[in-house]
Structure formats: structure tokens, C-alpha cells
Amino acid sequence: MSETALDPVELEILRNQLEGVAEEMGQTLIRGAYSPNIKERRDCSTALFDADGRMVAQAEHIPVHLGAMPAAVEAVLAEEPGPEDVYVLNDPFAGGTHLPDVTMVSPVTVEGEVLGYAVSRAHHADVGGSTPGSMPAGAREVYEEGLRLPPVPLVVDGEINPDVMGVLLANVRNADERRADLRAQIAANERADERLGDLVADHGIETIEAAFDAVIDYSRDRMTDAIAALPDGTYEAADVLEGDGVTDDEIPVRAAVTVDGDRVAVDFSGTADQVPGNVNAPLAVATSAVYFVVRCVTDPEIPPNQGCYDPVEVSVPEGSLLNPDPPAAVVGGNVETSQRVTDVVLSAFAETAPDRVPAAGQGTMNNLIIGARGADSFGYYETIGGGFGGRPTKDGMDGVQVGMTNTLNTPVEALEAEYPLRVERYALRSDSGGDGAHRGGLGIERAVRVEVPASVSLLTERRRVGPPGLAGGADGAVGENLIDGDPVPAKTTRDVPAGAVVTVRTPGGGGHGDPTDRDPAARERDRADGKVTDEV
């Protein structure tokens, strides 16, 4: 811990500079990546950690990565990396989230001293496994989902380790694309080393170390103040997942949120035991969802770092849906179960902070994976936006990513240029937002024609019960998946012939408040804009 004191002006300057390093890492990764999933959709995150493994700054990218990056750094620190090493990992049981999310951790050294660690995480469009895209519905073990990497040195003494790179590329589809994306991650980490070195040259190493401590303390102080403003008490909520890809049985998720002074504890006792299918979520994923919700209901402007999360405790029984034992399948847990955890914890907070919590959003990432096997293999991955829940003072947003993902869509032009796919329809879904004083946002319909024989995987939720309204608002519409016009299950993997059309209709958001309180002028705008077609 540094003893150098910073005045408020110095703190604000250095905080923004450190966050700027993390943001520039992300820009480097996005610009350098080859796959549309990273360069177009920006399905990646970057962060800076101090020498003790505490998160100092994170770029505002993917919420589901919030709680897992510290776990990845902890796992790499146990390997005692050298000053010019870069470790790679994706093991969900050793700091990862699910196998497609590949993380790189490297020391940042200045004047021969390890000052901190640079971390980049990116969703790779394929990491091997039983199906193209590495997200098979119905997987029962993590081994079916792709290559599992504990922390291993991809770069040693500044040079790429050809043995590790060779093993990695031999076990994935489209190895050239994977190589390019991995090199982009290495470049992002190198950019952190450069920029942190510039800051040390400008301010001195003692001042930068002091800034690490100060920004963490600053976030902690702001978070404890925000939590202390909430009423003390225990607030409970529950919901279900619609099957695990193996069975259609409902899977309960329960949370008890306790606000006690300036601390929050979230207990998931009563949540289901781990299940045979792939909706199990590693503990880091559940933690990420809780951190995200706490930031939303307190002050989203609090800088995301270790101090922001110190006042938050998460308890999950071992061997449960949210803390499974290996070799549980988990690829759907990261993308779908995380969304349900978000919904449940938000619902619990609605009792203590009703003016800060919206009705339920779409509650799913609507994962669509299309790929081909063989020499001409490709992997297209997309999470499709839907309805944001109606808010206490305004309508929900239409056709946006909700909850634990913060990605863009793949532009139609980029999708059709990169893959043997054609977009037949891409539009908002009229009548999908729940009615209320403030209407829920609309879902999306996206129809894609597959021009070659391919494998299609869908991992989706809210296909049986719509996103709940709040404070008297109506539920949002359920989603629907179709192949050539025929409904298919929420979680499925199918081989399709050339010419098949895959259609995903995403859920709308729940409405907020009594529908009779909706402004008549707003209803007229809804009709004029085509948001509703069934009102008179």
C-alpha cells in the first residue's frame, strides 16, 4: 500500500487516465480482431489490476465479465508468471465463465517491477467441441463444449509459445481466425504495458501505486454510502429457467437480498442443484450478475473496480446450479442463467428501491449459432436484442441488449460478407411490449437464410412465460424460434440443409405501472409508430 497522498484533483485525473488505459486496450482488441463477433459485436472486455490482483479499472464492455476477471487473475497469479509472459485460460472452474470466453493475463512491468496486470477477455466464435460455435444445446459435460484451458503460458519471455499455440489451434475450427483474434488480445495487453509506462514516466511510480489504492478506496466509499441509503431488511424473489436442454423441467432460481447498513449480502440457498444440461453457471458468473444489479440500483457512475464490489457478499451452495462441480456443462449458464439471476436479484431489490428498478427485460440473450463442419467450416454467433422493461418514469427501450450482455448486433452487410448467410428479415415485433403506464420495449424478429448445409444451435429463454411486468404492468410477449416456419425448442441443436431459414423472435419487455394510467397521447403515438396494432 502506497503512503503517497493524492488530492481530489490528482485523484480524478489519474482515475480517468487509468480507465482510459483499459478503454484503449479494448479499442486495440476490437480494431485488431478478425472475427465479426469481436470486431463488429464487440463481445470482449479489458481491465487493469494492481500487483496484488485487485481490479483497478475496467472498460465498460460486458457485464457478465465483471466478477470473473478477478478470478482469472487469481488463477494466473498462482502460476507465478514471468515479467514478459502472457497466460491464456478459459476453464470455467479456474477463473473462466464458459469456454468460448478466452482470457489473457499478463504482468505490466515498469523499471523491472511488476506494477500490475493487464487482462483481456474475448468470446471466440469457436473453441472446438461437438458442434460448430462451441455452444451445443443439450451438452452434459464441459468436454462437449470445446477445448478447456487451465492457465497456460501462451507467451514466454516475450515470444509466442509455439507448443501451446499449436495445441490450441489444432483443436478449433477456422484456426486462422482464432490465431488472429488471439494476437489481437496479446496486442491489447501490450498496449496496457505501454500506456501504464507512459503514466509512470509522467507521474512517477509511487504516484501511480498511490492512485491504485486511491481509486479503489474512492469506489468503496461511494458504494458504501449508496448502500447505506437503502432501507435495511431482507428481500426475496424467485423465478425459473425453462429447462436445461436435456429436459424441459423448470429449474428454480431463488435469492434473498439482505441490506444491512453499508453492506449487501445475496444468498442463493433454495436455488436448484446443478442439472444435467448446460445451464449450470460458474460461481463467477452468478457473482457478476449480482455486482451488475447492485451497481444498477445504487449508482451506475461508481467506477467499477475492487472497491465497488468489496461491500457485496454472494453466497451460493456448492454443487448447485450457480456453483456447479466439474465437469458440469456450463456454456448456457454464462449467457442464459446469468440473465435469470439478474432478473431475480432485480426483483428482490424492487421492494427496497422501487424507483430504481424497471420491469423485467427480455431475460435472455437469444443465442443463435450457425456453423459448418469440414474444410469450409465457419462459425457465426449472435446474441439478439429484445425489449427492455418499462421504467418507473418512462417506457422501455426497443430492440436492445438487456442485462448481462452489452454487445452490438452484427450489421447485415458484415454478416453477409463474412458468411454464407442472408438476412431475410430484421424488424421490431409489434405488440410484444407489455402494456403499462410505461410500456415495455419491443422485441426483434431476425430471419437468416443458411446457404450451405450447416449446424444450428439455439440457446434461449422466455419462450413459455413472458418477462413479468411490475407495479401492475402487463407481461412482455414470449419469444419464439422457428426453422423453415416450424417451431423448435428454446434450446436445440439441428443440422439443416442449404436454403433453410432460421427465425428468432425475441421477447418484449414487461410493462411498468397500471395500464389505465398510460397517457392517451402516448397510446396514440404507439399506434402511429406501429408499436401496437390491436388497440382501438
Side-chain angles (χ1 to χ4, degrees):
M1 300 289 285
S2 173
E3 297 180 359
T4 302
L6 299 180
D7 64 41
V9 174
E10 289 177 308
L11 171 59
E12 188 66 11
I13 291 171
L14 287 164
R15 180 179 70 80
N16 280 279
Q17 288 181 321
L18 291 171
E19 291 175 3
V21 174
E23 291 286 352
E24 190 170 343
M25 289 175 64
Q27 293 166 7
T28 301
L29 172 52
I30 290 163
R31 288 199 305 268
Y34 186 80
S35 67
N37 193 52
I38 301 173
K39 72 180 180 182
E40 299 285 359
R41 297 188 61 246
R42 304 187 180 187
D43 195 346
C44 57
S45 292
T46 50
L48 277 179
F49 288 70
D50 72 3
D52 295 323
R54 300 180 301 169
M55 183 188 289
V56 173
Q58 183 180 35
E60 295 284 9
H61 290 147
I62 309 298
V64 78
H65 297 163
L66 289 172
M69 278 192 166
V73 174
E74 181 180 0
V76 170
L77 285 177
E79 302 298 319
E80 300 182 351
E84 294 186 82
D85 295 349
V86 180
Y87 272 69
V88 63
L89 65 94
N90 71 348
D91 188 348
F93 305 100
T97 48
H98 63 176
L99 297 183
D101 281 344
V102 177
T103 305
M104 290 193 192
V105 181
S106 56
V108 176
T109 58
V110 178
E111 300 174 1
E113 177 182 345
V114 175
L115 184 59
Y117 294 88
V119 185
S120 60
R121 172 166 288 172
H123 183 118
H124 286 247
D126 188 277
V127 289
S130 61
T131 62
S134 310
M135 299 182 72
R140 292 174 176 265
E141 293 183 305
V142 71
Y143 312 117
E144 300 174 63
E145 298 175 335
L147 177 66
R148 180 179 168 194
L149 290 167
V152 292
L154 181 62
V155 176
V156 178
D157 294 332
E159 300 292 333
I160 289 179
N161 183 339
D163 296 331
V164 172
M165 181 67 86
V167 169
L168 200 159
L169 296 179
N171 285 277
V172 301
R173 302 169 183 89
N174 201 338
D176 289 341
E177 184 177 273
R178 298 288 72 71
R179 181 187 292 107
D181 287 350
L182 291 169
R183 285 184 174 274
Q185 285 188 253
I186 293 172
N189 285 29
E190 290 174 344
R191 181 58 56 90
D193 199 272
E194 295 169 7
R195 290 296 177 256
L196 210 53
D198 292 342
L199 292 182
V200 168
D202 290 342
H203 302 287
I205 194 166
E206 294 83 3
T207 299
I208 296 302
E209 289 176 332
F212 289 169
D213 294 335
V215 297
I216 290 172
D217 292 342
Y218 173 75
S219 288
R220 185 188 302 109
D221 290 344
R222 286 187 59 178
M223 179 57 76
T224 53
D225 287 347
I227 293 172
L230 298 172
D232 284 358
T234 297
Y235 311 93
E236 299 183 359
D239 205 333
V240 297
L241 291 168
E242 300 170 343
D244 66 350
V246 175
T247 76
D248 289 331
D249 296 342
E250 292 185 343
I251 304 166
V253 178
R254 296 189 175 92
V257 175
T258 299
V259 180
D260 184 7
D262 60 4
R263 299 192 64 81
V264 168
V266 181
D267 186 354
F268 288 98
S269 297
T271 292
D273 292 338
Q274 69 185 74
V275 295
N278 67 11
V279 297
N280 301 292
L283 178 59
V285 170
T287 302
S288 294
V290 171
Y291 289 166
F292 169 74
V293 173
V294 172
R295 289 191 67 205
C296 288
V297 300
T298 53
D299 182 357
E301 298 301 318
I302 298 173
N305 59 45
Q306 180 67 46
C308 185
Y309 309 127
D310 279 345
V312 183
E313 177 185 346
V314 180
S315 300
V316 185
E318 292 185 5
S320 71
L321 178 76
L322 306 181
N323 190 8
D325 296 323
V330 298
V331 73
N334 181 69
V335 290
E336 294 302 293
T337 307
S338 65
Q339 295 283 70
R340 192 62 65 252
V341 173
T342 300
D343 287 348
V344 168
V345 180
L346 272 172
S347 181
F349 268 108
E351 188 176 348
T352 184
D355 59 332
R356 305 180 191 180
V357 176
Q362 65 165 342
T364 173
M365 294 190 195
N366 302 296
N367 301 270
L368 171 61
I369 307 97
I370 304 175
R373 299 179 172 88
D376 296 323
S377 65
F378 71 92
Y380 156 71
Y381 173 62
E382 183 96 56
T383 60
I384 304 174
F388 193 95
R391 292 166 282 183
T393 60
K394 60 181 71 174
D395 291 352
M397 294 174 284
D398 302 323
V400 295
Q401 302 285 1
V402 173
M404 295 305 290
T405 185
N406 191 34
T407 56
L408 302 178
N409 65 351
T410 305
V412 172
E413 297 84 356
L415 184 155
E416 294 184 345
E418 294 281 352
Y419 306 115
L421 306 172
R422 291 292 178 267
V423 177
E424 301 279 317
R425 179 173 172 79
Y426 190 31
L428 295 174
R429 293 180 65 199
S430 297
D431 302 316
S432 57
D435 199 0
H438 301 290
R439 186 181 297 281
L442 301 182
I444 286 173
E445 179 173 340
R446 189 169 176 100
V448 179
R449 183 177 297 277
V450 186
E451 297 190 326
V452 298
S455 167
V456 173
S457 292
L458 289 154
L459 293 176
T460 62
E461 275 284 320
R462 298 293 192 201
R463 266 49 183 176
R464 296 202 293 247
V465 179
L470 187 62
D475 295 351
V478 297
E480 188 176 14
N481 305 330
L482 306 100
I483 296 179
D484 286 334
D486 296 324
V488 297
K491 301 170 183 68
T492 189
T493 294
R494 302 281 179 91
D495 288 334
V496 299
V501 177
V502 182
T503 301
V504 179
R505 296 173 181 157
T506 70
H512 192 289
D514 189 334
T516 62
D517 293 334
R518 186 163 181 78
D519 183 353
R523 291 198 177 279
E524 183 58 37
R525 287 194 300 272
D526 292 341
R527 288 191 290 270
D529 293 341
K531 291 191 174 185
V532 297
T533 60
D534 57 355
E535 292 187 346
V536 296

